[in-house]
Amino acid sequence: MTLLQFFNGAAEHKNGNNKQLMTTTAALIALVCLILHCCWWLYARRRRSNRRTFSSLLRKASQKILTKQEQAKLFSATPAHTSTTATATTTSFDEGNGATATTSTTTSTTTTTTANNTPIRVNIVGAGVSGLVLARLLMKTPERFIVNVYEKSRELSPVLGGGFSLQSGRIILRSLGLSDELTPELFAPIERLEQYSADGTLLGSASMLLNDNKNKNKSSNKRNKSFSSDNNSDNDDDSKQSPSSIAVACTLRGSLVNRLAEGVSIHFHKDLDFCETRGNIVVARFTDGTHAESELLIGADGIRSTVRNQIFGYSDPIYSGHTMWYGMSKLDPDSELFRNMRRKMITQTGKGFYTGMYCASNDGKVVFWKTYVSDKPRRETWDRADLYQGRMKLFYSSSDVAEPFPTVVQHTNRLMHFGLYYRPPLKGKWHQGRVVLIGDAAHPMLPYMGQGANLAIEDAAVLATLLQKYYNCSNNNNSNNLNGCRPSLTHEQIFKMFYEIREPKTTRVLDASMRMGKFQLATSTLGCFFRDTMGKVMNRLGMYERIIAKQREASMADIPE
């Protein structure tokens, strides 16, 4: 045996050992996935008999806060009957200085409350999604609440912010007249979720439709299989699925906010300086020297909330170690590319990066993103597409991102580049006196679960329900009297119940978002191999659709009836 033959034999033996090691690793990963699947099934079966509803959460929260006598009185009391005729409220915007003129015309209102009862003033800081949804819900009872919203920007920009997907939020928006049927221009339905590896291999696919158990998908090693016209000819038919069968719909934040703002009294260019409580009144003072008084103040001013810093002390958001490119493109609605990716959410994972894209409207608008591991960016940009266009094309045209991302990026008309931040959850309460936080002001989180907007809308719905049901004007003998109104519960009790109802779910999603971010943005070769292999195995076992169905069920379980 020559020396060359000896080394060749050693190399072949080493390659054989490597293949055997990879096969053994894949088998172990499959076994782990099977064990996790069995544990998930047992856990789901155990909880199936004890599903959460808003009523059950309300009773559980009341047991922690109220006495037995108060609980009996609360759940046995009948709400005050109210008969109100039509109320018209219009808001006009002065484009010159961003001021707001609000005119309201209200016909006669008859209630069973005493004559000296006057509406409770509620001021909301922040004209984002959660603040405007809360305002619209409280405005349904104008005889009880006078709502004003204060926004630090000069106007509601139609392009400010990106897009997001809505699940439970769609149910709440439907009660405000914003649904797939009534406002189809706002929502783009999502029927499928597809995940690919860095080289374009399909890792998993799942249906996003309600009660869809027929589509069981098998993984494929063909590159970009989902973008062939043969496999997607059915997407050209917009009437294939009815809106009621769609579980997820995407929308653009700017479009939704502008529709929510219709009829709401919004005061622009009002940057909150500080707030203080004087007896039964909360005074909000702004940097322009003006102030506003109310009985309740709601902080809905986002992750860098001034209200939160006022009542819980100043603290900066924490950088997660991830930075995001976020953009919007405009494709031809009749193009083959748009037809093939329509009604889909497509994600792709690689070594240290995570990309995704979906159609945010039916007229060709596509939202895409790329999250990657990096140091904190020195500079953040929110609307500089012309400056970063060339750099972004080069970035997305690199070898680590497969089609159709490079093609979509070439049609970019807006780009944003920013770091991803979070805050640790507040423990014990989200309020201080008559001031309470909702949305990102209370529980900001990373975007990897896609639930930030849904949770913010849920916060608004839960708080509005509690205020309307138990902070209403009624003829009971409660000593807490505000402007002649005698509420069933005090503001302190309502805010505590609000926290007890919402905190478990928001903390659970926040923790899941942190774990999902670390899992999707794996930086080691072994971590990427484990993630991709686990995705293939889960798809083979049909676990993707089960997990999505369970997540959908959990997200819609505890919203107000």
Side-chain angles (χ1 to χ4, degrees), residues 53-112:
T53 62
F54 179 74
S55 298
S56 64
L57 291 175
L58 181 62
R59 288 185 178 274
K60 185 176 180 180
S62 65
Q63 291 173 2
K64 295 182 179 181
I65 299 169
L66 306 178
T67 64
K68 292 184 178 181
Q69 292 79 4
E70 290 174 330
Q71 293 177 44
K73 181 179 179 181
L74 181 66
F75 293 107
S76 63
T78 56
H81 298 284
T82 306
S83 174
T84 310
T85 55
T87 302
T89 306
T90 58
T91 305
S92 59
F93 304 98
D94 186 352
E95 298 181 355
N97 55 12
T100 305
T102 304
T103 305
S104 301
T105 304
T106 307
T107 57
S108 60
T109 301
T110 305
T111 65
T112 60

Side-chain angles (χ1 to χ4, degrees), residues 334-352:
D334 298 326
S335 65
E336 182 180 1
L337 175 61
F338 184 77
R339 291 198 307 268
N340 290 340
M341 62 179 292
R342 194 173 184 180
R343 295 177 178 264
K344 292 181 180 179
M345 180 177 290
I346 305 165
T347 62
Q348 184 180 13
T349 54
K351 192 172 183 178

